[in-house]
């Protein structure tokens, strides 16, 4: 099990992806209901399929979570994806160098098209608290359940789909 310490923000509307920035398309599906004490999800990226379990202890610092993650086969991923019953999302993720940190920018598509958020992970809580976000970061949404990928996946299920989009 690993400890994940991160802060999350909206992205300023005028932000542009810096030239040469690496990124990949991701698909995620959630297997536990909203509000569950442990969140289970599967994620597919370019050549990777992962199962993840995360704790969201609301009594502790909102920046800190416990996480267990391990690879699954393509077959297991597809079976788990079906169990999510449409509670899924798709996004493009850019890894933007930010001094000693990396800003992970997610731009959602499908029903959430146009939504962008950025996360920064830290080695410890002190560093996370001292972090001064750059101008292209918008409002901080760390710890806001409404902005968790789990809740966004549930929201995308209720939104109209774009033409040609499948769940």
């Amino acid at each position: 099990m690993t400890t994940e310490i991160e802060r999350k923000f909206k992205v300023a509307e005028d932000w542009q992806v810096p030239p040469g920035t690496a990124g990949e398309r991701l698909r995620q599906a959630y297997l536990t209901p909203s509000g569950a004490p442990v969140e289970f999800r599967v994620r597919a990226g370019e050549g990777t399929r992962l199962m993840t379990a995360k704790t969201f202890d609301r009594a502790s610092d909102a920046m800190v979570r416990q996480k267990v993650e391990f690879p699954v086969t393509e077959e297991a991923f597809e079976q788990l994806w079906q169990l999510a019953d449409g509670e899924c999302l798709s996004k493009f993720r850019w890894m933007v160098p930010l001094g000693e940190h990396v800003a992970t920018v997610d731009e959602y598509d499908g029903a959430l098209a146009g939504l962008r958020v950025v996360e920064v992970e830290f080695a410890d809580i002190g560093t996370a608290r001292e972090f001064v976000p750059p101008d292209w970061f918008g409002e901080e949404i760390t710890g806001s359940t409404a902005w968790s990928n789990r809740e966004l996946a549930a929201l995308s299920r209720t939104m109209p789909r774009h033409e040609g989009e499948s769940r």
Side-chain angles (χ1 to χ4, degrees), residues 99-161:
E100 63 186 61
H101 304 292
V102 174
T104 304
V105 178
D106 289 341
E107 183 168 0
Y108 298 85
D109 49 40
L112 300 169
L115 176 64
R116 296 187 303 186
V117 299
V118 57
E119 298 175 350
V120 180
E121 289 194 25
F122 302 92
D124 58 74
I125 292 176
T127 305
R129 288 188 177 133
E130 293 170 2
F131 175 73
V132 177
D135 292 344
W136 60 271
F137 281 34
E139 171 189 353
E140 183 161 10
I141 53 177
T142 302
S144 171
T145 55
W147 287 93
S148 72
N149 279 307
R150 171 68 194 88
E151 294 305 315
L152 293 174
L155 176 65
S156 72
R157 184 176 193 203
T158 64
M159 297 173 73
R161 288 185 272 173

Side-chain angles (χ1 to χ4, degrees), residues 1-78:
M1 185 165 11
T2 60
T3 300
E4 180 180 78
I5 303 168
E6 68 182 16
R7 289 177 63 188
K8 189 172 186 175
F9 303 81
K10 294 180 183 178
V11 176
E13 288 188 30
D14 61 346
W15 180 76
Q16 298 293 316
V17 178
T21 301
E24 71 175 319
R25 171 113 5 243
L26 298 172
R27 295 187 304 144
Q28 293 178 190
Y30 292 83
L31 305 167
T32 47
S34 295
V38 178
E39 171 189 288
F40 289 91
R41 74 158 190 240
V42 288
R43 173 186 285 166
E46 295 172 11
T48 62
R49 304 292 181 267
L50 299 171
M51 176 79 179
T52 304
K54 286 187 180 186
T55 63
F56 293 89
D57 181 0
R58 301 295 177 215
S60 69
D61 194 305
M63 293 184 280
V64 181
R65 298 180 286 186
Q66 298 300 312
K67 178 169 88 170
V68 176
E69 193 165 63
F70 53 91
V72 295
T73 65
E74 176 70 27
E75 180 182 6
F77 173 85
E78 292 301 334

